[in-house]
């Protein structure tokens, strides 16, 4: 019989979102009249920007003509998109990122998992706790961890706890780790890193020869102009960091699919025989072999994000979601909850009321307010006692959900 990848059997069975779905389904079956509001899963709700739709329609029409037809494109993305990204997202912030260092893809979720393809299996890996589950599960699947313990922590990983006590930024480890996953603005806590915090990580990575995998999927939600959007705003980061970016959350491309990864030239790793190897060449080879590029139509849509109209429309989307976040923060605080995040990120991270763990609070909100959020414990053991609410919803749903939560907590 064929052998399976037994590493998959180490994955914790009760994965977060299926368990939420199971509880919501059971509740709906028992209370078919309840109008449930979902502030749980991190998916956008507002329509695609007009600039993107117009560009994609024109691209569809072009594909219907002999001159405008496009077959396979470059695996790394079309030069015009890579140039627009380099100019607007990096050079405009004084980051020296060249178009050839940008690899366009169909998502940051896949990129952040696929990057393990070019990294050795002996690396010591650090993740924050709580954390975006993809970083952990992709390492489990690739056989880079041991078994999970009762708290759901995998052997072989270094967990860096984040909580209100450390401002949701991890303490720099004393021991040496080779690979560090950082996500700012953060999913799930909504926290953001200052320039000083990122500079500490860059200094650590350079001193220890480590690689930082920096997930900046939520950079567009940063409101404070003094905060860095890219790790490359920190001097020296080109020698120690890869950055993941996505059009999913800023331009609503979660269902359209376009993202990119930045791999700087001159960023080196070590081979088994101790030679220095440039990661750029390995990722270029990996993408050329295992990926055939993002559709021409979608890349034209992504390019339109950088047009003046596209920029204005994206700003408006962000403004809308961040107003939702402000309402959630304000109303939860008025209901007596301790709230974090939601100021530079579309997630509010609330402390559960005394005596309730994350799932206890989930059940209370579902049962009393018919509101679905995400239990913090689903993102890691240190997330227990917290609860995530997402700002991705209509204004009417956010306002109604807050009214109901206040009534449930008062009652
Ligand atoms: C939504 C999200 C992404 C984006 O993923 P895509 O595959 O590009 O849609 C990346 N990282 C985090 C932490 C996210 O929450």
């Amino acid at each position: 019989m064929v052998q399976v990848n037994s590493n998959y059997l180490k994955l914790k069975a009760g994965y977060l979102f299926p368990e939420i779905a199971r509880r919501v389904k059971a509740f709906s079956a028992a209370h078919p009249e309840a109008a449930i509001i979902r502030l749980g899963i991190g998916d956008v709700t507002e329509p695609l920007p007009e600039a993107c739709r117009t560009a994609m329609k024109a691209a569809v029409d072009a594909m219907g003509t002999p001159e405008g037809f496009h077959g396979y494109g470059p695996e790394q993305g079309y030069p015009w998109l890579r140039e627009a990204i380099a100019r607007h997202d990096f050079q405009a912030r004084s980051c020296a990122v060249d178009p050839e260092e940008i690899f366009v893809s169909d998502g940051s979720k896949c990129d952040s998992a696929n990057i393990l393809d070019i990294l050795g299996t002996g690396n010591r890996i650090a993740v924050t706790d709580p954390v975006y589950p993809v970083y952990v599960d992709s390492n489990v699947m690739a056989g880079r961890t041991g078994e999970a313990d009762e708290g759901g922590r995998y052997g072989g990983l270094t967990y860096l706890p984040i909580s209100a006590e450390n401002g949701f930024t991890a303490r720099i480890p004393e021991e040496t780790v080779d690979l560090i996953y950082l996500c700012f603005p953060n999913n799930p806590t909504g926290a953001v890193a200052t320039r000083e915090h990122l500079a500490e990580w860059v200094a650590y990575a350079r001193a220890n020869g480590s690689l930082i995998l920096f997930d900046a999927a939520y950079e567009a939600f940063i409101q404070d102009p003094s905060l860095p959007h890219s790790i490359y705003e920190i001097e020296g980061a080109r020698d120690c960091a890869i950055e993941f970016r996505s059009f999913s959350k800023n331009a609503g491309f979660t269902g359209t699919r376009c993202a990119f990864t930045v791999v700087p030239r001159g960023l080196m790793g070590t081979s088994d025989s101790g030679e220095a190897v440039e990661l750029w060449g390995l990722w270029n080879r990996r993408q050329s072999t295992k990926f055939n590029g993002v559709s021409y139509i979608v890349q034209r849509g992504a390019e339109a994000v950088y047009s003046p109209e596209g920029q204005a429309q994206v700003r408006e989307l962000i403004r809308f979601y961040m107003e939702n976040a402000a309402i959630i923060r304000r109303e939860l605080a008025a209901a007596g909850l301790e709230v974090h995040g939601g100021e530079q990120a579309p997630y509010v991270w609330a402390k559960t009321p005394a005596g309730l763990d994350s799932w206890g609070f989930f059940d209370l909100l579902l049962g009393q307010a018919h509101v679905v959020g995400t239990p913090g414990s689903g993102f890691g053991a240190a997330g227990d006692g917290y609860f995530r609410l997402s700002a991705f919803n209509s204004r009417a749903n956010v306002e109604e959900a807050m009214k109901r939560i206040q009534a449930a907590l008062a009652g």
Side-chain angles (χ1 to χ4, degrees), residues 194-259:
T194 60
R195 207 171 281 278
E196 292 69 35
H197 182 66
L198 291 188
E200 278 184 66
W201 275 116
V202 167
Y204 171 88
R206 287 166 61 98
N208 291 283
S210 332
L211 176 66
I212 296 170
L213 298 175
F214 190 73
D215 186 341
Y218 296 96
E219 60 78 30
F221 294 84
I222 292 175
Q223 307 290 305
D224 177 346
S226 74
L227 294 169
H229 288 234
S230 166
I231 188 110
Y232 304 117
E233 291 181 54
I234 310 303
E235 201 175 324
R238 285 182 55 89
D239 300 332
C240 64
I242 285 174
E243 181 164 303
F244 303 109
R245 290 273 190 114
S246 175
F247 296 99
S248 282
K249 310 296 166 35
N250 62 345
F253 272 46
T254 52
T256 305
R257 312 304 304 143
C258 198

Side-chain angles (χ1 to χ4, degrees), residues 1 25 53 78 95 97 113 118 132 186 205 207 245 250 266 268 270 278 309 321 327 361 371 385-387 409:
M1 225 186 306
K25 195 169 161 214
R53 284 183 281 123
Y78 282 101
C95 303
V97 170
I118 66 162
Y132 180 53
N186 188 255
R245 290 273 190 114
N250 62 345
M268 310 302 279
T270 311
E278 201 182 26
E309 306 75 44
Y321 290 130
I327 293 169
F361 192 52
V371 171
Y386 289 97
F387 199 74
L409 291 179

Side-chain angles (χ1 to χ4, degrees), residues 33-47:
E33 74 296 342
I36 292 173
I37 299 178
R38 289 162 202 274
L39 296 178
I41 294 179
D43 193 0
V44 297
T45 52
E46 294 302 295

